Amino acid sequence: MKLFSSFMALLLFLLQAVPGKGLPKDTLRCLGYHGFCFHSKSCPEPFAAFGTCSRRQKTCCIDTTSNFHTCQDEGGHCVPPEIECLQEQVGLCPHSEWKCCTEV
């Protein structure tokens, strides 16, 4: 019995050490875009809202002064991967698999 409880304690310790384990998908996506999760529905300056965190309970805010700009800030439109872009550009889209296009 002592061996079993020691094994379970070790297993729980190792699971806590895995980065990102147990975080909601929207929170992981926000952190992947170097965003921050705020309790309020609006983001303070110089941040811009970029989705949700904590299972839609918080707002994901990204820094507008960094190199990570949203697609709309750059004058583009976010489109799903099955749509072909005539001209693609750099910019963040709310869905990670979508592309930022200036012309479709």
Side-chain angles (χ1 to χ4, degrees):
M1 189 65 172
K2 229 179 195 184
L3 181 64
F4 178 74
S5 61
S6 296
F7 175 73
M8 289 306 290
L10 178 66
L11 182 66
L12 287 173
F13 174 75
L14 291 175
L15 286 177
Q16 289 177 353
V18 176
K21 188 73 173 163
L23 291 176
K25 285 184 181 181
D26 58 351
T27 304
L28 290 173
R29 185 176 57 88
C30 180
L31 297 175
Y33 283 119
H34 304 279
F36 301 93
C37 297
F38 287 93
H39 286 284
S40 63
K41 293 293 177 189
S42 60
C43 299
E45 290 291 329
F47 295 94
F50 192 70
T52 61
C53 293
S54 300
R55 295 182 179 94
R56 298 185 182 198
Q57 294 179 0
K58 297 179 185 176
T59 304
C60 175
C61 301
I62 57 171
D63 187 357
T64 57
T65 61
S66 70
N67 291 334
F68 302 101
H69 296 286
T70 63
C71 183
Q72 287 80 11
D73 289 344
E74 300 296 322
H77 304 283
C78 292
V79 295
E82 56 269 7
I83 295 178
E84 197 170 315
C85 293
L86 293 176
Q87 186 174 358
E88 200 169 329
Q89 74 175 44
V90 177
L92 297 176
C93 291
H95 302 286
S96 61
E97 63 273 357
W98 286 27
K99 307 180 275 190
C100 182
C101 299
T102 53
E103 293 182 36
V104 181

